[in-house]
């Protein structure tokens, strides 16, 4: 009976999109409905109004900055949810006994496998990835890049260091509660940039009214950069929180038991 | 046009391999290949920002799946 | 008839493959017994939806949405609005997958298994034991 119900629901759900071919626009048509109303204004006025040749960055951080603020908040909430779900003490201690607790942060034991590849190259590669992340963050306006990519790159560096690295402490030695707090600083910086323009007499997140003594075009650049720093900190903090919360409860065979 | 159709057929084949597989580690490794093919698809469609983001997030997502496989049985009945 | 089929495939043919991928993702979520496979199929479904949005913003003679000297009109660049929406969607899906995986870890610690059949059978056995216990208590109170 339950299987019959499942099959009926599957057939209904799967056959529904195949009736929508009349409504969908022709691929490649410059006059179709999604390409007509507002995107033309965004494409033609992105360089002169927002001072950024990258139109995707101009759309998500300048024209639709309010949406991106709530996306960053949702990332922070995901990090907090993971910490809340995994905050209790596990029944069996899954952390290896050779790891030592010092002032609330866990220090790992010595790794069993020591090779030249892992120990020398990781210490050389990690600073290069971090420099590339900062480059991607600050060049998000001129060429491809932006805040989300830079934050994910910083999170990837932390993941590489925790899984493979040689030192006993990882690069950012934080407990999961503190890294969740760090992830909260990101939406705070974003909202603060919006509030500053309200205090100076404009609307929320209106970069034209920031109270700085520079030209009109540079105000937009400064506003976009400040907002993207907030996005980067939010995304990087969330990824670090997720990795910290999951690694506390899982044991690896490399540790010296 | 043809390149997009070929990549989409590859993605459909990988999905069938994931659904009908019996080993979870194989499913996760194939998921990494899935992420790689979608990155190519996004580049061909003309969205390099989205492709860059998908490349980085795909790596992080796959490694988190592999971390979790340590505490779960790999074979399914 | 053949001309209409070939024009249909040239103009809207990609949508067919996208819908097949979406349907396979939904079927995978409903029929797979293992919770980890359900999470992987959720990500597969998300890729199909993102590809559909990127298809809606194509223009036949457009280049990538970075401004270049010499191309001024709006018909020369593809639509940047779906790209922006999908960028944030990919990053937020990472957060959703992480919450799903932490729920999976808690289920594994509490019940010892992540197959749906075993969990449902365990719940049925527990409820049968509960009913037998209540019947015995009622019989004991009656006598």
């Amino acid at each position: 009976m339950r299987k019959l119900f499942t099959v009926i629901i599957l057939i209904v759900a799967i056959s529904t999109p195949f009736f929508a071919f009349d409504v969908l626009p022709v691929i490649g048509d410059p006059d179709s409905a999604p390409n007509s109303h507002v995107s033309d204004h965004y494409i033609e006025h992105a360089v002169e109004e927002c001072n950024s040749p990258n139109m995707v960055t101009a759309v998500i951080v300048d024209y639709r900055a309010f949406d991106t603020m709530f996306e960053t908040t949702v990332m922070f909430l995901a990090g907090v949810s993971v910490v809340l779900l995994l905050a209790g003490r596990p029944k069996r201690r899954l952390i290896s006994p050779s790891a030592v607790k010092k002032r609330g942060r866990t220090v790992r034991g010595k790794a069993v496998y020591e090779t030249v590849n892992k120990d020398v190259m990781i210490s050389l590669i990690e600073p290069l990835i971090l420099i590339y992340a900062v480059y991607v963050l600050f060049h998000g306006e001129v060429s491809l890049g932006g805040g989300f990519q830079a934050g994910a790159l910083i999170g990837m560096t932390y993941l590489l260091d925790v899984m493979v690295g040689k030192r006993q402490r990882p690069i950012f030695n934080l407990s999961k509660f503190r890294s969740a707090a760090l992830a909260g600083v990101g939406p705070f910086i974003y909202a603060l940039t919006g509030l500053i323009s309200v205090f100076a007499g404009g609307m929320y997140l209106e970069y034209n009214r920031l109270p700085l003594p520079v030209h009109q075009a540079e105000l937009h650049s400064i506003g976009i950069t400040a907002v993207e720093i907030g996005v980067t900190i939010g995304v990087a903090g969330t990824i670090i929180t997720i990795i910290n919360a999951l690694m506390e409860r899982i044991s690896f065979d490399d540790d010296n038991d | 046009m043809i390149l997009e159709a070929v990549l989409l057929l590859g993605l459909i084949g990988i999905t069938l391999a994931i659904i009908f597989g019996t080993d979870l580690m194989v499913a996760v490794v194939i998921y990494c290949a899935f992420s790689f093919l979608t990155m190519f698809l996004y580049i061909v469609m003309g969205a390099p920002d989205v492709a860059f983001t998908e490349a980085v997030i795909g790596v992080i997502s796959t490694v988190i799946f592999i971390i979790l496989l340590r505490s779960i049985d790999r074979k399914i009945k | 008839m053949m001309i209409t089929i070939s024009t249909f495939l040239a103009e809207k043919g990609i949508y067919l493959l996208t819908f097949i991928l979406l349907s396979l993702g939904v079927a995978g979520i409903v029929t797979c017994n293992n919770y980890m496979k359900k999470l992987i199929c959720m990500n597969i479904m998300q890729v199909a939806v993102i590809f559909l949005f990127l298809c809606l913003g194509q223009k036949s003679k457009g280049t990538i949405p970075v401004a270049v000297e010499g191309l001024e009109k709006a018909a020369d660049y593809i639509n940047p609005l779906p790209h922006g929406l999908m960028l944030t969607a990919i990053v937020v899906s990472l957060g959703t997958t992480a919450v799903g995986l932490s729920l999976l870890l808690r289920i594994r610690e509490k019940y010892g298994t992540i197959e749906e059949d075993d969990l449902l059978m365990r719940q049925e056995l527990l409820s049968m034991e509960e009913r037998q216990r209540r019947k015995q208590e009622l019989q004991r109170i009656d006598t």
Side-chain angles (χ1 to χ4, degrees):
Chain A
M1 180 58 198
R2 202 166 154 262
K3 297 252 173 171
L4 183 64
F5 198 52
T6 307
V7 166
I8 291 178
I9 285 188
L10 262 183
I11 291 179
V12 169
I14 287 175
S15 65
T16 305
F18 289 95
F19 291 115
F21 278 114
D22 298 331
V23 187
L24 288 170
V26 175
I27 299 180
D29 188 14
D31 291 326
S32 61
N35 293 338
S36 311
H37 297 285
V38 133
S39 334
D40 290 345
H41 178 85
Y42 289 164
I43 293 176
E44 285 167 4
H45 297 267
V47 179
E48 59 189 67
E49 282 184 9
C50 313
N51 199 18
S52 90
N54 187 8
M55 295 169 196
V56 179
T57 302
V59 163
I60 61 174
V61 197
D62 197 319
Y63 284 119
R64 308 258 168 141
F66 202 52
D67 291 339
T68 311
M69 181 172 85
F70 284 108
E71 304 269 355
T72 318
T73 309
V74 165
M75 274 304 278
F76 165 62
L77 282 179
V80 166
S81 313
V82 170
V83 166
L84 277 179
L85 278 170
L86 299 179
R89 198 166 297 175
K91 286 196 190 131
R92 288 183 301 127
R93 295 289 291 178
L94 291 178
I95 307 177
S96 66
S98 68
V100 173
K101 269 206 173 300
K102 280 186 189 170
R103 274 180 288 147
R105 298 180 213 134
T106 307
V107 172
R108 295 170 295 168
K110 195 156 134 5
V112 170
Y113 306 111
E114 293 192 354
T115 59
V116 166
N117 265 350
K118 189 162 75 79
D119 298 329
V120 173
M121 294 309 288
I122 295 292
S123 313
L124 287 177
I125 286 180
E126 281 172 2
L128 292 177
I129 300 182
L130 286 175
I131 290 177
Y132 183 57
V134 173
Y135 164 78
V136 161
L137 166 65
F138 283 105
H139 274 253
E141 309 170 353
V142 181
S143 73
L144 312 167
F148 290 98
Q149 288 91 333
L153 277 172
I154 295 180
M156 200 164 74
T157 308
Y158 181 73
L159 180 64
L160 186 66
D161 193 57
V162 160
M163 296 286 289
V164 190
K166 172 188 168 190
R167 291 186 303 261
Q168 296 196 343
R169 292 166 207 263
I171 281 187
F172 315 115
N173 193 9
L174 298 164
S175 72
K176 60 181 187 281
F177 301 109
R178 292 188 189 185
S179 57
L182 176 68
V185 172
F188 174 69
I189 292 179
Y190 203 123
L192 196 66
T193 310
L195 272 181
I196 286 180
S197 56
V198 168
F199 290 151
M203 291 189 289
Y204 189 68
L205 282 171
E206 187 180 358
Y207 300 134
N208 288 330
R209 303 288 196 102
L210 285 175
L212 293 168
V214 289
H215 280 298
Q216 176 87 355
E218 290 185 23
L219 277 178
H220 274 272
S221 283
I222 291 177
I224 286 178
T225 307
V227 153
E228 293 217 340
I229 287 179
V231 169
T232 301
I233 294 178
V235 173
T238 302
I239 293 178
I240 292 176
T241 307
I242 291 169
I243 295 170
N244 277 342
L246 284 176
M247 294 278 284
E248 274 185 359
R249 293 177 166 236
I250 295 179
S251 73
F252 287 89
D253 294 342
D254 283 304
D255 303 333
N256 307 338
D257 285 341
Chain B
M1 258 286 294
I2 297 187
L3 193 53
E4 296 158 6
V6 165
L7 283 171
L8 272 174
L9 282 174
L11 288 179
I12 289 177
I14 288 182
T15 311
L16 287 171
I18 287 180
I19 291 179
F20 291 114
T22 54
D23 197 353
L24 271 182
M25 187 63 132
V26 168
V28 170
V29 171
I30 289 184
Y31 174 64
C32 186
F34 183 86
S35 191
F36 191 62
L37 273 185
T38 66
M39 189 193 73
F40 271 129
L41 190 63
Y42 293 155
I43 289 180
V44 164
M45 293 293 285
D49 276 344
V50 184
F52 191 173
T53 310
E54 167 71 33
V56 182
I57 299 280
V59 166
I60 294 179
S61 187
T62 305
V63 175
I64 287 185
F65 271 116
I66 290 183
I67 287 178
L68 259 165
L69 266 185
R70 279 285 178 174
S71 61
I72 288 174
D73 304 329
R74 272 179 55 181
K75 290 266 181 216
I76 56 178
K77 299 182 271 280
Chain C
M1 183 70 181
M2 291 306 294
I3 297 182
T4 55
I5 285 188
S6 69
T7 47
F8 172 76
L9 277 182
E11 292 178 352
K12 298 188 187 181
I14 298 285
Y15 292 135
L16 259 178
L17 291 172
T18 310
F19 292 150
I20 290 178
L21 191 64
L22 181 69
S23 318
L24 276 177
V26 171
I29 288 182
V30 173
T31 58
C32 279
N33 269 332
N34 202 357
Y35 279 128
M36 201 135 175
K37 275 199 186 171
K38 289 190 202 239
L39 280 176
I40 293 181
C41 285
M42 191 172 83
N43 282 355
I44 289 176
M45 221 168 63
Q46 182 228 328
V47 163
V49 170
I50 286 181
F51 183 69
L52 181 72
F53 268 93
L54 288 183
C55 271
L56 291 179
Q58 289 286 98
K59 291 183 191 173
S60 48
K61 288 192 183 41
T63 172
I64 64 172
V66 177
V68 177
E69 302 279 330
L71 296 173
E72 304 279 340
K73 297 182 357 179
D76 290 331
Y77 300 103
I78 66 178
N79 200 356
L81 196 53
H83 297 350
L85 302 174
M86 295 306 114
L87 207 62
T88 47
I90 290 179
V91 175
V92 166
S93 88
L94 176 71
T96 308
T97 307
V99 173
L101 285 175
S102 62
L103 275 173
L104 189 99
L105 196 57
R106 291 288 290 161
I107 287 179
R108 162 86 178 142
E109 280 176 8
K110 190 166 162 73
Y111 296 112
T113 172
I114 57 169
E115 304 263 340
E116 198 170 14
D117 288 343
D118 294 346
L119 277 176
L120 288 176
M121 214 162 34
R122 192 194 137 114
Q123 287 301 106
E124 274 185 28
L125 282 174
L126 277 178
S127 71
M128 257 177 17
E129 280 178 19
E130 182 79 19
R131 264 183 262 147
Q132 277 180 0
R133 205 171 47 84
R134 282 210 201 119
K135 239 194 301 189
Q136 282 172 5
E137 273 197 25
L138 283 177
Q139 284 173 357
R140 204 170 42 85
I141 290 177
D142 282 341
T143 57

